[in-house]
Amino acid sequence: MNIHTHPHDDGAQGVDPSAARSIVRAVEPPLLSPRALEDRRLIHRNDSTRLQADAFRDLRTRLLALGGDRNFVTLVAPVVPGCGASFVARNLAAAFAFDETKTATLIDCDALRPAQHGALGVDAVNGGLMDYLDDRVNEIAPVQYRTVLPRMYLVPTGGVREITGESFSSLRMRSLVDSLRSTHGNRYLVLDSPAVLKSPDARILSDLADLVVLVAGYGRVTTEQIEKAAANFEPEKLAGVVFNDIQ
């Protein structure tokens, strides 16, 4: 996995702490063995595939350098479907959670192809993101679940939806992101996005993010497609491109 970054202008954004409400669901899934984690394509501290784990640590370090002395929200967006962005998003969140001084919350925003709940061992009995945005769940707490990795949490999609753009641009979505971010200064949010060149959702979600990581499937996209996808985002937010050969 190759990682390319460029300099970033890191302007701080204010958040109203009074809007925060985010007690996580108390039921914690059992932690898995290293072999079981690898079967789910999740990196871990004793990962036998060291190159993968080190690549995600390196990506985390670069983002922390760009983000400055504050927690931040990272959008992980594939150029086209099939680039393996969900793999990148969950393992980036895992890399943040490796640090015992930090926690990570992954938000699965790909309502057409939700994948994170299965990989992270989450039974979304209380619903998920779309249920909260549709006002079928009143609080954030029930839809933020513990996962099979320590200090890592998931807000699953909660069900397949055809149209999501209006929901992602809603005040309720902004409130969810701000609340999760502001309650703990050591919490880092990762948004797993739909493909940039497939729908407007990634561009809409980028308004909620401080940094954007594009994922290009190795050998699956052209330079022209990458440039077209990158043009959807503010240059100061675009942290770089991950070339991923794991689908």
Side-chain angles (χ1 to χ4, degrees), residues 8 14 32 44 77 96 111 125-126 136-137 149-150 153 157 182 185 198:
H8 170 69
L32 300 181
H44 54 89
F96 278 112
V125 293
N126 296 324
R136 286 181 292 196
V137 176
L149 293 174
Y153 305 93
T157 58
S182 63
K198 190 72 173 178

Side-chain angles (χ1 to χ4, degrees), residues 150-161:
R151 297 179 301 281
M152 181 172 165
Y153 305 93
L154 173 69
V155 177
T157 58
V160 174
R161 299 289 193 282

Side-chain angles (χ1 to χ4, degrees), residues 206-229:
S206 71
D207 289 339
L208 304 171
D210 302 292
L211 298 170
V212 177
V213 173
L214 270 181
V215 180
Y218 189 78
R220 297 179 64 91
V221 297
T222 64
T223 301
E224 182 181 1
Q225 286 176 308
I226 295 172
E227 291 175 349
K228 185 177 180 181

Side-chain angles (χ1 to χ4, degrees), residues 26-151:
V27 177
E28 185 169 2
L31 300 183
L32 300 181
S33 68
R35 177 59 183 274
L37 291 171
E38 290 175 16
D39 287 344
R40 292 171 182 256
R41 297 195 300 179
L42 286 162
I43 60 171
H44 54 89
R45 288 183 179 277
N46 301 313
D47 203 324
S48 61
T49 314
R50 296 295 304 173
L51 288 177
Q52 284 185 26
D54 289 345
F56 283 108
R57 286 189 179 97
D58 183 50
L59 178 57
R60 174 199 63 190
T61 299
R62 296 185 188 206
L63 293 174
L64 286 168
L66 294 174
D69 297 328
R70 61 193 174 99
N71 61 346
F72 49 82
V73 181
T74 303
L75 176 70
V76 177
V79 175
V80 296
C83 287
S86 291
F87 166 81
V88 173
R90 67 174 166 267
N91 283 298
L92 174 59
F96 278 112
F98 277 177
D99 186 337
E100 294 184 0
T101 68
K102 296 176 174 59
T103 63
T105 295
L106 174 62
I107 305 177
D108 192 344
C109 301
D110 193 345
L112 282 177
R113 299 175 183 84
Q116 301 295 4
H117 61 289
L120 292 167
V122 167
D123 181 10
V125 293
N126 296 324
L129 174 65
M130 300 313 299
D131 301 294
Y132 176 79
L133 296 181
D134 291 345
D135 208 16
R136 286 181 292 196
V137 176
N138 294 325
E139 302 290 339
I140 297 170
V143 299
Q144 185 182 199
Y145 300 81
R146 295 180 183 271
T147 72
V148 295
L149 293 174
R151 297 179 301 281

